[in-house]
Amino acid sequence: MGNVVLNCVKKSFGSTEVIHGITIDIKDGEFIVIVGPSGCGKSTLLRMVAGLEVISSGEVQIAGKVVNDKEPMDRNIAMVFQNYALYPHMTVKQNMGYSLKLAGHSKSEIERKVSATADLLQLSELLERKPRQLSGGQRQRVAMGRAIVREPSVFLFDEPLSNLDAKLRVQMRLEIRQLQRQLGITSLYVTHDQVEAMTMADRMIVMNNGNAEQIGTPLEVYQKPETLFAAQFIGSPAMNIFDAEIQNGCLILNGLALTEVSLPDGKVALGIRPEHLVPSASGPIKVSLNNAEPLGANTLLYGNIKSSNEDITISMPGVHEISENEGDKSFGVEKAKIHLFCPSSGRRL
C-alpha cells in the first residue's frame, strides 16, 4: 500500500509560517498534482513528504506509518528532480542501478531490474551511453528509471519537465501519466503549469501563500472554484473578474441586470470564464473590442465593458477579425456559468 496522509502539516522558518496546515488523504495509486505560483510553498510541501524538510507540526503518514522522524532513505519514496541529478561519469545502466548497488543487491538482481525498467522506458539501446550523450527527454527517462528500479511506495516529482521545450513537455507528461497508471504507484507531482495540472492529475492541490486554496479533481476546480485565487489560476485564459452587486435578488453588473440569484443584497465579485461569453444581440454585456489574437482553433478577443471601461477577455471558437469600425458587441452568459465570490474573503458564495 502506498497511501499518503497529510494531517494539518505546517512548516515554519523561525517565526515565519510558510505552510499553514495542509490536510489530505491520498489513496493508493492516486496521482496528486500540487500546483501554484512560484513561492507558494508547493516544493516545500513535497520536501516535507520526502523528509528533506523537517515538519514543524502535524503528521505525515506513508503506507499507514507515521514518518515524521524517519530519514528520507527509510520512507520508501523515490524522487525525480527538475535537473535530473544524474552522475555524469556513469553510464545510463550505472545511474539506474546505483541505488540498488548501495542497498547491497546482487549484480544479477540489479541487471534484471535495470533491464526490465529500460525496456519499459525504451532505454535499452542507450544503457551504455553517458548523460551528456542523451537528449533532455532521454535524461528525464533515465531519472525516472532510477526511481522505478527501487520499487518505491510513492513517487515524488519536483517540476520534472521545466527544463524541456514545449513540444517535449507535452510528450513527456503523457508518458509520465501513462507510466504511472501502468505501475499503479502513488505519485505527488509539483508544477507551476496549470495545463500540466489539468491534464495529469486525479486530484490537485491548488496552493497560494502556503495555503491549500482548493483540493479536488481538475474539473471540480475548473467548474466550481472555491476561491477567487483558484478561479483565476486554473483556466487559460484566466477568468474575468468584475465588481458587481446583488439588489433585490438580481445580479447587477454596471447597472445592468444579468440574472436572478438567491443571495442577500450586497457587493460581490463576479467571475465569468472567457470561453463562456457568447455573442447575443440582446446580451447585457456591451463590449468595445480593441484587439484579437487568432490561435487557430479559437480566437481571443480583448476589449472593455462600455459602462465601466473594465477590461474583458473573450474566447471565441474559430477565426475572428476586428475591423477599425467594429463597433460595440453584445455578449451574454448562462446563469450556470456565472461564479460569485465574497469580495473580502475571496470565498465562493
Side-chain angles (χ1 to χ4, degrees), residues 56-57 103 135 166 192 218 226 230 318 320 323:
S56 299
S57 67
S135 68
H192 64 273
E226 292 297 326
H320 296 266
S323 60

Side-chain angles (χ1 to χ4, degrees), residues 279 291-294 296-301 315-322:
N291 201 3
E293 289 184 347
N298 66 308
T299 301
L300 299 183
L301 304 177
S315 180
M316 297 281 291
V319 177
H320 296 266
E321 296 180 352
I322 297 177

